[in-house]
Amino acid sequence: MLSTLARAATRRPLTVIGLWAAFLLLGFGLGTGVFADLSDDVPDVPGTESDTADDYLSGVDPSGESVTAVVAGEAVSDAALRAQVERTVARVREIAGVADVPDPYTTPGLTARDGQALIIPVTFEGGLSDEDEEKATDTAVGTIKRIDAPDVHVSGGELLGRQLGERAQEDVKNAELISLPVVLALLLVVFGGLRAAALPLVVAVSGIAGAFLGLFAFSRFTDISVYAIQVTTMLGLGLAVDYALLTLVRFREERRHTDDVVEAVHRTVEAAGRTVLFSGLTVAVSLTGLLVFPSVFLRSMGLAVAAVVVVDMLAAVTLLPALLTRFGGRIRPSKARSEDEEGRVFARLARFAQRRRVAVLVTVVPVLLLLALPVTGMRISIGDARQLPAGTEARQLFDTVDAHFPKGTGVSPVVVVLKPGTDPTTADRVRALVPNAESRVLPGGNTVVELQPPGTVDGKAATDLVERVRELRGDQPVEVTGVAARLVDFRAMLADRAPWAALTVLAAVLVLLFAFTGSVLIPLRTIATTLLSLGAALGVVVWVFQDGHGAGLLGGEGLGALSLTAPPLIVSIAFGLAMDYELFILARMREARQRGGDDHAAVVTGLRRSGRVVTCAALLLAIVFGAFMTGGFSPILQIGLGLTLAVLSTRRSYGCCWSRCHRCSAGTPGGRRSR
């Protein structure tokens, strides 16, 4: 297959380049439409009680979505400000599609005790079309924003998704503006020429276009989280640079042995292309574990990221060979170096690890286990607006309310749906769980009881309240929904499906690694060391963002829990990336072993020739992740840090492990040592 792709790329390079140019136009034209269709409903899990209760409630509750406004910065008792607010409330009530706007001056709890802020909640009618709801929302927001006060912020409901989508688009643009010039500068240092340095960026731009187009395609069938934009784009950019770097380094080596550019391209694709193919498949397969979870968010992320990886892989084995065919003659071959000069640092590292296997193991393994220790206390939560960057409207609203109103103001309640036939005694017991429970009767004999939990929206008090309602209802037709209930169901889903996801990924990766190496022991060793490094990376993320040690240095803060999106994505993506770099090194060791010589020499030679490119690739990928972390979304900070640590950990001592395990992989295709 690779030889066929190489021949096609070298015979008709302009056709291949033209097809990819059309793909780029499609990705940056049609694909960017995904920014208008992003969702912040991450924790929904189809089929769970919270999801079915919410769907049921949507069908019987006449009220619709709502937004919240806060006015602050001066005394709300000021006559001129009060007159403005009252006129605004009256105008918003007259907007078509608005169901209710309470007077903040006469409704208890809507005016701050310090007299410096007030809240204006706006509830829309149920059953509105998307167009009518968007029009009503925009009109209401525009009317409220005309209030002349130092601080006026509006967010929530459908508006929140739009605000986050706009911020995500801005963050992606800024990350690209930061990362692309830095990556280009480093590539110039690596290759010493603009032509060679520019080619990985062309492939990288293809990866970004693939990210946009893949997400747009999936948005036609399912919800796409606002966090998917940054994750898929940074991986699309980072992996494209990785694969192009590996291919270009090999091409420059092959140019030392032949003046025929086409022949050099063919040799490059046959050697480096095989590694890119298996690397891409390994990363994509690692993401299949996300498909085991019924969560729409996790499934869509798994499919979208896998699609981007495949696009990067295809660009590396089709677009890049076509570009090399047209422009590779102007790229200088790499300098011929003696064996003593090439990769001296990595060769010394490999030899040291071989001589001091036990010492290296008893030093490295305990350190990694110590770093992984915080994982045992890991907690996940949906989180509140503190996860958002300070410049977002939702965060500004949250901070203003938090500064002027009692703790817990605006926290989403635990919603209990009492369907017709519910025993009145059970209903009374539910209401008695918290003081001042609010009830409202809906058409059809349904009753909704809203229980306001103390603390945060998804704290222990809120989740315990969900469990207590579910315990005392017995066999009564009572269902619980709301943010806290969704978190409880999401945690249960993770606990139930995580073992099956792990089994699926491990089995698939074992098969791929066996096909690549012809060995059984090497895949087992690779997976064991990768899991150890992955645990250490996740442990550091917990220590920083859950426990708050140094989170401020990264633009975040300790929140007492990780975002529920972070752990599954870090584990699945980082596992694939770690396998990716393992394969880069393994490929060189395998080539050295096939040329003859003993296993120890193959380990040294393989690390000598791959160490520099793997280190450069890891550094470039870390720079890309770091650029995307400048946006300030806490889940992206967590994912970015976890992936960066996982990538950088691939620079550990391979030699002590490979020196023995590599004997199981011989130079012959079947994996036996040649005689």
Side-chain angles (χ1 to χ4, degrees):
M1 182 182 70
L2 290 175
S3 59
T4 302
L5 291 174
R7 284 194 297 270
T10 53
R11 288 176 181 173
R12 300 184 180 275
L14 292 180
T15 301
V16 174
I17 295 171
L19 290 174
W20 276 100
F23 177 81
L24 289 176
L25 292 175
L26 190 63
F28 288 109
L30 179 65
T32 52
V34 71
F35 288 101
D37 295 317
L38 299 178
S39 170
D40 62 319
D41 293 330
V42 172
D44 292 348
V45 181
T48 57
E49 179 182 330
S50 58
D51 182 68
T52 56
D54 186 67
D55 289 342
Y56 177 81
L57 198 58
S58 299
V60 298
D61 192 346
S63 62
E65 292 281 354
S66 63
V67 297
T68 301
V70 62
V71 179
E74 65 178 88
V76 297
S77 59
D78 179 79
L81 179 59
R82 178 163 185 164
Q84 279 193 78
V85 171
E86 289 177 343
R87 286 195 302 270
T88 299
V89 169
R91 289 170 184 162
V92 174
R93 286 171 178 166
E94 295 173 357
I95 297 173
V98 173
D100 181 47
V101 187
D103 186 338
Y105 287 99
T106 59
T107 305
L110 296 185
T111 302
R113 293 177 182 176
D114 62 6
Q116 297 296 308
L118 59 83
I119 295 173
I120 306 175
V122 180
T123 304
F124 300 97
E125 297 174 358
L128 293 176
S129 66
D130 291 342
E131 182 179 354
D132 290 340
E133 183 177 348
E134 182 177 351
K135 182 178 179 181
T137 301
D138 291 341
T139 306
V141 171
T143 303
I144 294 172
K145 283 285 191 177
R146 286 196 289 270
I147 295 176
D148 186 14
D151 296 314
V152 180
H153 305 293
V154 190
S155 189
E158 182 268 342
L159 180 63
L160 175 60
R162 270 195 282 159
Q163 291 171 344
L164 294 181
E166 292 169 359
R167 179 58 189 250
Q169 187 171 16
E170 180 182 349
D171 288 348
V172 168
K173 181 179 68 175
N174 292 337
E176 291 169 356
L177 291 176
I178 295 171
S179 62
L180 289 177
V182 177
V183 168
L184 178 59
L186 288 177
L187 289 173
L188 281 170
V189 174
V190 172
F191 292 116
L194 183 60
R195 294 186 185 91
L199 291 183
L201 293 188
V202 175
V203 180
V205 172
S206 303
I208 297 172
F212 291 161
L213 199 58
L215 288 173
F216 179 79
F218 289 122
S219 71
R220 303 301 93 186
F221 307 100
T222 184
D223 291 335
I224 296 296
S225 168
V226 63
Y227 305 121
I229 291 292
Q230 287 96 332
V231 173
T232 54
T233 306
M234 70 181 178
L235 279 175
L237 174 59
L239 285 177
V241 172
D242 272 9
Y243 295 157
L245 177 64
L246 176 69
T247 303
L248 272 170
V249 168
R250 189 55 181 255
F251 174 75
R252 295 181 70 202
E253 288 182 15
E254 296 298 339
R255 289 275 286 137
R256 292 206 311 255
H257 307 296
T258 177
D259 293 329
D260 188 338
V261 173
V262 172
E263 177 62 23
V265 171
H266 286 171
R267 294 180 182 180
T268 298
V269 174
E270 289 176 0
R274 181 176 184 271
T275 305
V276 169
L277 177 64
F278 273 90
S279 297
L281 289 176
T282 302
V283 177
V285 163
S286 298
L287 295 163
T288 58
L290 296 177
L291 304 182
V292 174
F293 299 103
S295 165
V296 173
F297 166 75
L298 292 180
R299 285 186 172 181
S300 64
M301 285 295 295
L303 290 171
V305 176
V308 170
V309 172
V310 171
V311 169
D312 284 345
M313 179 183 67
L314 291 175
V317 297
T318 58
L319 174 60
L320 189 54
L323 292 171
L324 289 174
T325 301
R326 292 290 298 174
F327 308 108
R330 301 176 183 178
I331 296 176
R332 293 177 306 198
S334 59
K335 295 180 180 179
R337 297 181 180 181
S338 66
E339 186 173 315
D340 291 336
E341 292 179 338
E342 185 180 14
R344 285 179 294 181
V345 174
F346 299 102
R348 291 172 183 170
L349 176 65
R351 293 192 184 101
F352 173 80
Q354 288 176 332
R355 291 194 301 267
R356 301 288 188 270
R357 298 189 194 98
V358 176
V360 170
L361 287 174
V362 298
T363 302
V364 173
V365 172
V367 170
L368 292 177
L369 290 175
L370 181 63
L371 292 175
L373 191 60
V375 175
T376 58
M378 183 178 68
R379 297 182 296 275
I380 63 170
S381 69
I382 295 172
D384 51 33
R386 290 178 298 164
Q387 291 186 332
L388 304 176
T392 57
E393 188 83 353
R395 176 63 185 267
Q396 292 173 337
L397 186 147
F398 175 88
D399 289 341
T400 303
V401 171
D402 187 60
H404 295 285
F405 289 85
K407 300 297 181 183
T409 300
V411 170
S412 298
V414 173
V415 180
V416 183
V417 182
L418 307 175
K419 296 182 179 180
T422 301
D423 185 354
T425 303
T426 301
D428 292 338
R429 292 171 64 193
V430 169
R431 294 188 184 94
L433 289 174
V434 299
N436 303 320
E438 297 183 3
S439 298
R440 52 194 174 96
V441 179
L442 302 178
N446 296 279
T447 300
V448 173
V449 179
E450 295 184 347
L451 308 176
Q452 194 68 46
T456 60
V457 65
D458 53 4
K460 189 175 187 304
T463 55
D464 286 348
L465 185 58
V466 172
E467 299 288 2
R468 289 169 63 190
V469 174
R470 290 177 174 175
E471 287 175 4
L472 66 81
R473 69 186 171 188
D475 58 357
Q476 296 292 306
V478 176
E479 293 183 336
V480 188
T481 187
V483 175
R486 291 177 182 179
L487 177 59
V488 170
D489 291 340
F490 194 93
R491 287 172 174 170
M493 178 269 298
L494 286 180
D496 180 56
R497 297 298 183 93
W500 295 105
L503 183 62
T504 300
V505 171
L506 292 177
V509 169
L510 279 172
V511 171
L512 278 174
L513 290 178
F514 175 77
F516 186 76
T517 64
S519 167
V520 174
L521 187 56
I522 287 179
L524 293 175
R525 186 222 65 92
T526 300
I527 289 174
T529 55
T530 299
L531 290 176
L532 191 59
S533 297
L534 180 56
L538 188 58
V540 174
V541 173
V542 172
W543 189 73
V544 172
F545 289 105
Q546 178 176 298
D547 302 335
H549 300 288
L553 299 176
L554 299 174
E557 56 186 290
L559 301 175
L562 298 186
S563 168
L564 55 79
T565 64
L569 290 179
I570 290 174
V571 170
S572 57
I573 297 173
F575 186 80
L577 291 178
M579 292 290 105
D580 191 50
Y581 289 126
E582 291 269 7
L583 289 176
F584 285 5
I585 295 173
L586 259 177
R588 287 294 200 172
M589 292 180 180
R590 181 175 180 273
E591 288 182 23
R593 185 64 187 84
Q594 286 177 328
R595 286 194 296 268
D598 60 26
D599 300 315
H600 292 270
V603 170
V604 173
T605 301
L607 194 56
R608 180 199 298 274
R609 294 183 175 177
S610 61
R612 182 170 178 265
V613 66
V614 166
T615 300
C616 290
L619 179 60
L620 290 171
L621 196 56
I623 290 172
V624 171
F625 290 163
F628 278 85
M629 290 168 63
T630 59
F633 277 100
S634 183
I636 300 302
L637 294 176
Q638 296 167 26
I639 294 169
L641 178 62
L643 297 184
T644 299
L645 294 174
V647 166
L648 295 179
S649 69
T650 58
R651 295 182 59 190
R652 60 190 182 272
S653 298
Y654 292 95
C656 62
C657 300
W658 285 116
S659 59
R660 290 186 176 181
C661 294
H662 200 67
R663 293 175 182 171
C664 303
S665 177
T668 58
R672 296 177 299 274
R673 295 186 67 174
S674 56
R675 297 183 182 272

